[in-house]
Amino acid sequence: MSVQAEGTFYVQAIGLRPKVHVSADGSGVVGHAGARLLADLADATGLTAAYSAALRPLRPRGTGHDPGQVATDLAVMLADGGEAIADLAVLRDQGEVFGTVASTPTAWRLLADTDEAALASLRAARATAREVAWMQAAETSEGIPAVRAGGRELPGLVLDLDATLVACHSEKEQAAPTYKGGFGFHPLLCFLANTGEAVSGQLRPGNSGANTAADHIAVLDQALAQIPDAHRHGTDILIRANSAGSAKAFLAHVRNTRKRGVRTFFSVGYAITEPVRRAVRAMPDRLWHPALNQDGTLRDGAEVAELTGMADLSGYPAGTRIIVRRERPHPGAQLSLFDQDEGLRHQVLLTDTPYSSGGSAQFLEVRHRGHATVEDHIRCGKTTGFGRFPSRDFGVNTVWLELSLTAVDLLAWARVLLLDGELAAAEPKKLRYRLLHVAARLTRGGRRLRLRISATWPWRHELTTAFHRLAALPRPAS
């Protein structure tokens, strides 16, 4: 490569590629044009307006940037794959498409000024927007999709709770050593399995306990508050967690929510204690039944049995059942001494789903195994904001987590409301590569600003269809 003129370079042809001239003097061209879809979706669901109302106290004189708009722009930036506040430049420097976007120092001030009261208002605003998005889904499609397990649909909603570790490579407030020998945070998160929405999360120090009942209760209550009233009451809500969610206090809380008219049930992992081991050894072979795959077919080399009545469950809610699966271990599986002795891998769960609700041991076990999808949601969420926290201040990072959850929601709403086929189930990486990061050309004519996607872009029709569907969404009353 050599310089042809000041600021201009040409690249010689390599193989069959033509020679190109490169310069930084283009105009009328925009990158990340598909991210405008998410910005407009935030407006269409009322999220931007709700954020503006929630953060109005941070703008006492009514001057400067609207804090709600700044928060929305940060969420759009995170959904688009941004990793730092400075990445707002992608939106800010393309004002013809994204409008006036705050500077990096202004965004920093917003995060720093958002106290606990403002954070609670942000959460309430997100719940308001979620209600609108769900109503739009009901009017334009089949509504919120059902979760499938064992070849059939699960009634109602499914909430998956799980914690994850986020490494920090510098000193940050409340970052601490983790149980895996690292250093950072240990947030606890809750996702809606039906859509992949990130309904709640709590930022915690790295040394926080995985099975802390108080944290699980707080995150669950925040998640239930995010569910629209029409779905929170009168709809079955299944709460799934790994063995960290098996604390008696947490399960008692899940049961007690029924007193408030919320029909919650639990399905959580359970530690293999000595009484459980004795029960497994005493279980006759004739009482083991073939396990199921998620499509309802038989799972090769796996069996399920119910241990209810054979293990002590005193202190757990009435009607709690205990179920075990044994399976030939796959290569490289980590086995306990009990598993090594038996030659099989064992996993145990607790649930309060009664027999009368079609709760066979086989079905309940495969239903619980679907909890593993939360690991995919967390993995994707770490590329959508909460895999990297920007500040030394714990409060700023807490607000960043909330905006990251909003970013996850925007992507989930886009899949449900605007996309079809493969893209309706796509992870953020695929959506960014195919839709959000597309370049486009801006033209003006007939008093209109046009965003022109390349006629050769492979997913141009999917993107333009999404914009058309967005324009047709029913809008909330102002």
Side-chain angles (χ1 to χ4, degrees), residues 25-239:
D25 56 357
S27 62
V29 179
V30 60
H32 293 240
R36 173 63 188 261
L37 187 74
L38 299 180
D40 287 354
L41 182 59
D43 295 344
T45 57
L47 177 69
T48 307
Y51 268 5
S52 295
L55 298 180
R56 186 170 292 122
L58 301 184
R59 195 188 186 191
R61 294 185 298 275
T63 59
H65 288 276
D66 178 357
Q69 184 66 58
V70 177
T72 300
D73 288 340
L74 282 168
V76 170
M77 179 268 291
L78 291 171
D80 191 46
E83 294 184 334
I85 296 176
D87 290 337
L88 267 177
V90 171
L91 309 185
R92 183 173 56 250
D93 293 344
Q94 302 183 105
E96 283 191 290
V97 174
F98 295 103
T100 302
V101 176
S103 66
T104 298
T106 299
W108 270 108
R109 285 195 297 273
L110 170 71
L111 296 176
D113 292 344
T114 303
D115 56 14
E116 283 296 326
L119 183 61
S121 297
L122 280 179
R123 289 171 178 151
R126 189 158 63 99
T128 300
R130 189 184 320 281
E131 184 172 19
V132 172
W134 286 25
M135 291 175 63
Q136 290 169 333
E139 291 189 30
T140 60
S141 62
E142 297 181 357
I144 300 303
V147 176
R148 295 188 63 85
R152 68 191 200 193
E153 293 185 348
L154 302 184
L157 306 175
V158 179
L159 296 176
D160 284 319
L161 284 82
D162 201 8
T164 188
L165 298 176
V166 178
C168 295
H169 301 289
S170 63
E171 291 288 341
K172 298 182 186 294
E173 185 181 4
Q174 295 197 38
T178 69
Y179 71 93
K180 287 192 174 181
F183 182 83
F185 297 117
H186 193 190
L188 180 63
L189 304 152
C190 182
F191 291 85
L192 180 70
N194 302 68
T195 60
E197 291 166 85
V199 284
S200 64
Q202 179 177 321
L203 188 61
R204 307 184 302 166
N207 57 0
S208 297
N211 59 348
T212 305
D215 292 345
H216 279 74
I217 290 171
V219 170
L220 175 60
D221 285 348
Q222 289 180 15
L224 292 175
Q226 285 290 319
I227 297 175
D229 285 343
H231 296 264
R232 184 167 63 248
H233 299 284
T235 300
D236 287 351
I237 302 177
L238 177 66
I239 315 300

Side-chain angles (χ1 to χ4, degrees), residues 154-451:
L154 302 184
L157 306 175
V158 179
L159 296 176
D160 284 319
L161 284 82
D162 201 8
T164 188
L165 298 176
V166 178
C168 295
H169 301 289
S170 63
E171 291 288 341
K172 298 182 186 294
E173 185 181 4
Q174 295 197 38
T178 69
Y179 71 93
K180 287 192 174 181
F183 182 83
F185 297 117
H186 193 190
L188 180 63
L189 304 152
C190 182
F191 291 85
L192 180 70
N194 302 68
T195 60
E197 291 166 85
V199 284
S200 64
Q202 179 177 321
L203 188 61
R204 307 184 302 166
N207 57 0
S208 297
N211 59 348
T212 305
D215 292 345
H216 279 74
I217 290 171
V219 170
L220 175 60
D221 285 348
Q222 289 180 15
L224 292 175
Q226 285 290 319
I227 297 175
D229 285 343
H231 296 264
R232 184 167 63 248
H233 299 284
T235 300
D236 287 351
I237 302 177
L238 177 66
I239 315 300
R240 297 190 300 200
N242 57 21
S243 59
S246 63
K248 295 177 181 178
F250 174 63
L251 299 185
H253 182 77
V254 173
R255 175 63 62 84
N256 289 337
T257 58
R258 298 182 191 177
K259 298 177 181 178
R260 307 198 303 266
V262 183
R263 287 163 41 184
T264 50
F265 301 85
F266 62 79
S267 178
V268 299
Y270 188 66
I272 301 181
T273 60
E274 182 56 36
V276 171
R277 285 191 282 267
R278 288 197 298 267
V280 169
R281 289 192 175 109
M283 178 65 61
D285 284 341
R286 59 184 175 81
L287 296 182
W288 289 92
H289 304 284
L292 301 176
N293 291 310
Q294 291 298 339
D295 62 0
T297 60
L298 296 182
R299 186 176 179 88
D300 185 43
E303 295 177 307
V304 175
E306 179 145 6
L307 302 180
T308 305
M310 300 180 66
D312 182 16
L313 294 178
S314 58
Y316 286 95
T320 297
R321 301 164 63 184
I322 179 169
I323 295 167
V324 60
R325 183 182 89 249
R326 67 182 185 185
E327 187 171 18
R328 289 197 304 267
H330 59 78
Q334 294 184 349
L335 303 179
S336 65
L337 291 177
F338 174 68
D339 291 339
Q340 293 177 19
D341 182 48
E342 295 292 311
L344 296 169
R345 186 169 181 248
H346 296 78
Q347 290 185 304
V348 180
L349 69 95
L350 302 179
T351 183
D352 62 344
T353 299
Y355 297 94
S356 59
S357 298
S360 69
Q362 288 172 291
F363 175 70
L364 297 182
E365 190 280 325
V366 72
R367 184 189 69 174
H368 179 74
R369 211 182 318 137
H371 172 66
T373 58
V374 73
E375 298 178 4
D376 294 326
H377 295 318
I378 289 175
R379 174 176 51 79
C380 292
K382 286 185 175 181
T383 70
T384 314
F386 63 77
R388 179 179 179 183
F389 290 95
S391 177
R392 293 179 180 272
D393 183 83
F394 189 78
V396 168
N397 290 332
T398 299
V399 182
W400 182 268
L401 174 61
E402 174 62 24
L403 295 180
S404 300
L405 302 183
T406 302
V408 174
D409 281 353
L410 285 173
L411 292 170
W413 296 342
R415 288 192 296 264
V416 172
L417 295 171
L418 309 177
L419 301 175
D420 283 325
E422 182 184 4
L423 291 178
E427 292 189 351
K429 181 179 180 180
K430 181 177 290 186
L431 293 179
R432 291 165 188 150
Y433 186 81
R434 296 187 176 187
L435 301 183
L436 303 185
H437 294 177
V438 64
R441 186 163 60 91
L442 283 171
T443 63
R444 294 182 181 275
R447 297 182 180 180
R448 289 184 178 182
L449 181 65
R450 297 179 182 273
L451 195 63

